[in-house]
Every structure is written in C-alpha cells, then in structure tokens.
Amino acid sequence: MSTHEVPGALRVDGFRTRRDFGFGNLSKGGTMLAALALAADGIIASTEPLTLVVTLPLTLGVIGLAAARRHGMSAMSYYWAKFSWRRATRSEATAYRRVLLPHPFALDLPGVGASSTLIKAHDPTSGKTVGVVHDRATGRMTVSTLLAPGGSLMAPTNAVQGNIRTWGSVLDAMSTDEQIKGASVTIQVTPGAGEALGDDVKRRKRPEAPALARTTIDELVRTTPHATASVAPWMSVTVDPGAAANPPSDLHEQVAEALRVVDSLDLSGTGTDIYRRATDVDVRRLVRSAYDPDAFHARDEEFAELGWSECGPQAADDGWEEYAHDGGVSFSWVLREMPRRPIPYSVLLPLLSPGRYQRRVTLAYRVLDPHEGEAVLEREISNAEQRAQATAQVKGRAKWSQKADYARAEKAAVQAASGAQVVDWTLMVTTTARSTVELPAARQETERAVKATRGIRMRPAFGAQAAVFAAGLPLGYNPLVKD
C-alpha cells in the first residue's frame, strides 16, 4: 500500500522534537554560557584591552560551533564526540577481546551489556521457563516477549483504528506504573531460513498427510531454505522491582515481581499476537545471532549449553560509523527527525521489508507519567512562544515555522489533556553485512529503505555504534531509561 492510498483516518501525527529557548540555534544552556563568556571577556578587557584580540575570536568561534548544525546536532557536540572517540581509540577502549578473567562473571558482555546476566526463571502462570536479563548495576530486570510476525495492511480501517487505540491504552498503563521504566519493540529480518525452517516443518508435518503433499513440502524445504526471510519480532520491558511499595528482598522475589509486572500488560487488541515469553534459550539465540548471523538458524540444542559470556562476541571493534564483530560488520542509524505532517500507520513498512542483509528495527519507549508529561508540554509551549516573541522583536514578525511549532506544541497539550500520553521515543536501525566489502551495498540498501518512508530522517550513530547495536537486543539496555 503506497502512502497516498492510506485513508486519512489511518494517519498519525503529534511528533515533535523538544526545543529549548535560546538565542538563534543555541540552547538555553548554550545561550547562558555564551553570555557568561562574553561578560568575562569584557571584564578582563576592562583592565587588559589587548586580551580581546585573543579571547573575543576564540569565544565567537566556540559560540559559532555551538550554533551551527551538523547532522541534526550542534557542530560542537559532533566534533566533541569525534574527539572523544579518537581519544578512546588511541587508548584501545573501543576494542574488545574476550579473555578469561580471574573472577567469574566479572565481564560477561562488552560495553553497555557488561553488568547484565541471564537468569533462567520459572513462570508459574504458564508453567514454562522465562529468560530474565538482570542488570546487576541498577537492579533492573528485562523480560522479552516473542511476538508472532503478522501485519494489518489488509485489515479493515475500523480494526486498525481499534488497534491504535488499544496500543494507547497499553502506553497509559505504562505511564501509571512506577516499576516500568521503559520498553522497546524490535523486528529483526534475517535473509534465509536455514535449518530452522526444516525443523519447523518437521514438527508440524503429519504422518497421515497424503504422500504427494509430504513429498512436495520436503522438496520445498530442500530447495528453498535460503530464498526466504525469517522475521523475529519481540518486545522487551524493563522493570525496576525495587520501585514496588514493598520492595522484594532477595533475587527470587525480584524475578517474580518483574514477571508479575510484565504480565499485567495486556497486548491483546493491539494487532499483535503474543507467541510466548522468551526463554533463556531464545535470549541466547537473539543475542548470539546478532554478533554472528550464521548462528541464527542453528537448533535450540546448540544454544542451550552456551554461557552468557559466550553469547557475546569473541572480538569487536567499535568504529565511528560501523561496528565490527564476529561474523560481520554492522552499522546503526538513529532517528534524526520525524515528518511534521501526518504519516500513514504503515510508514515503517520499507524498513521492515526483507533485503539482502540482516536488519533490526527498534522502537524504544519511555512513557512519561501524567504529571511529568504535563510539565514537559507546558515548558515546550513557553519555549515556543518565547522564541517567536524574540524573533518578532528583532525582525518585526515571528517566522512561520515558529508559529507552526507553537501551534503543534499547543495541539500536543490539548491531546494530553484529553487523555493522550506523552512519550519519549526513538527509532534505531541496525544492518549487518558479512564483510567490509559488502558495507557499501548494505548502506545503499538501508538508505533506499529510509528514503522510501517518505519523510523519516535518520543519521549514523556517530561514535555510539556498539551501544545502539546492543539497544536493539534483549540485553536490558534502553537509551531512554536514565539512572
């Protein structure tokens, strides 16, 4: 379904980037620092006027870097990040090599996953095992739910509208639960179904079926294992068991509390079918196959005996725009800006379509509680109004873009007052190629998919490739969840 074929009732809007009130393109903090720097230059020049020859050009240069934009961010932030990355590279902090440490479990996974560990728990409600990722540094726990791949492109308009409303109810439940710190939904598309396809067909094949049908399906499994794509969607919810009214005392009670909180989220009616809670084997498969794509289609028995440290890479190098690891080289992009116009609910379809390379698309959420959301919206309205007034005082009238931004901020406040939720969210895309030779083709494929969304703007995760790579995995890391 193309963009212009989507009825207006199935278009969504309300996306807006937070903006501080500052002079020009400067943020509020940048404006205050610039004023202080200029005042300091004036005070020093009152006793030593010649110092202005050095201090004034330097101050204006720093202010210019802070005001200039580079890839949607301030030029100062961009160049400072590059300087920090180069310094880390010189000290070999961006290179990881798995070694045997004297203390067990001292460093299981690299980077943001270093403090995580995998717990095999028993869910009494379903009677099955569940894989719970425990962050030993913060005490938070992450439970992932495997979803059934499907879609609603052929569903009636009323059904899709109902799904969107129900998803809003899920976000409402997240906003009022202090224990839920964040959530993410990931869809991984892997070319070729490999041995997993044969195993699935073998389990579902009936011996009483006609011989012709059994022969035909066996032939299909034999001839087309690598001509298909495997879609693996899952939702990860990060819970803080210690935020309960009666915080659990030991690890067993903390795991039970995390499972109880996740079970309270009802996804029925959102257009998503729940397959089951991810087991420890499922989590190992998703993590290990991200670092080594060839392992994705291996049998469950091969993952059951893997230790948590063995799920990570044997070696990895975190580059400025790519991340080299076992079995491939990945690059990750992050959201730069959403369209300012209503977009169809199927806008992400080009990114979710199968290609030549493995791709993970992750939506990370942090739902603000009603009081925090109201405060954020009121602050955004004030900032938008002050920017328009400041421009009007200098140029005689405010910019039309500023007036439109103020109108969008007011509209968001009206929607929140009517029961809508304020959500901090971001979009991340990770594509994995088998070698550096394939990187240009993989980048071109991803660029075309992003352009096909007709409005979503993304940029490379400069200097944060390993972190964004891990954010798309069920490791318990959500970049929107702050300590």
Side-chain angles (χ1 to χ4, degrees), residues 36-46 48 51-52 55-57 59-60:
L36 290 174
L38 291 174
D41 290 345
I43 293 173
I44 296 174
S46 63
E48 296 290 340
T51 58
L52 285 176
T55 60
L56 188 60
T59 301
L60 293 178

Side-chain angles (χ1 to χ4, degrees), residues 309-376:
S309 62
E310 297 174 310
C311 296
Q314 299 289 330
D317 293 290
D318 190 7
W320 178 244
E321 293 190 36
E322 65 278 331
Y323 182 53
H325 50 83
D326 299 352
V329 182
S330 299
F331 60 90
S332 299
W333 289 2
V334 295
L335 181 66
R336 174 175 172 177
E337 186 180 10
M338 285 295 292
R340 300 179 184 179
R341 53 177 172 78
I343 59 175
Y345 74 102
S346 56
V347 66
L348 294 180
L349 185 60
L351 284 170
L352 302 177
S353 300
R356 294 174 54 194
Y357 306 97
Q358 185 187 76
R359 184 185 302 156
R360 278 192 310 281
V361 180
T362 301
L363 282 168
Y365 299 91
R366 186 179 75 89
V367 187
L368 279 61
D369 66 74
H371 297 291
E372 183 184 359
E374 181 181 359
V376 168

Side-chain angles (χ1 to χ4, degrees), residues 284-324:
R284 290 190 184 97
R285 175 190 295 275
L286 293 174
V287 174
R288 180 56 195 158
S289 62
Y291 291 104
D292 186 4
D294 290 333
F296 181 80
H297 302 296
R299 294 180 171 86
D300 290 346
E301 293 77 9
E302 300 181 33
F303 294 99
E305 299 179 358
L306 279 182
W308 185 234
S309 62
E310 297 174 310
C311 296
Q314 299 289 330
D317 293 290
D318 190 7
W320 178 244
E321 293 190 36
E322 65 278 331
Y323 182 53

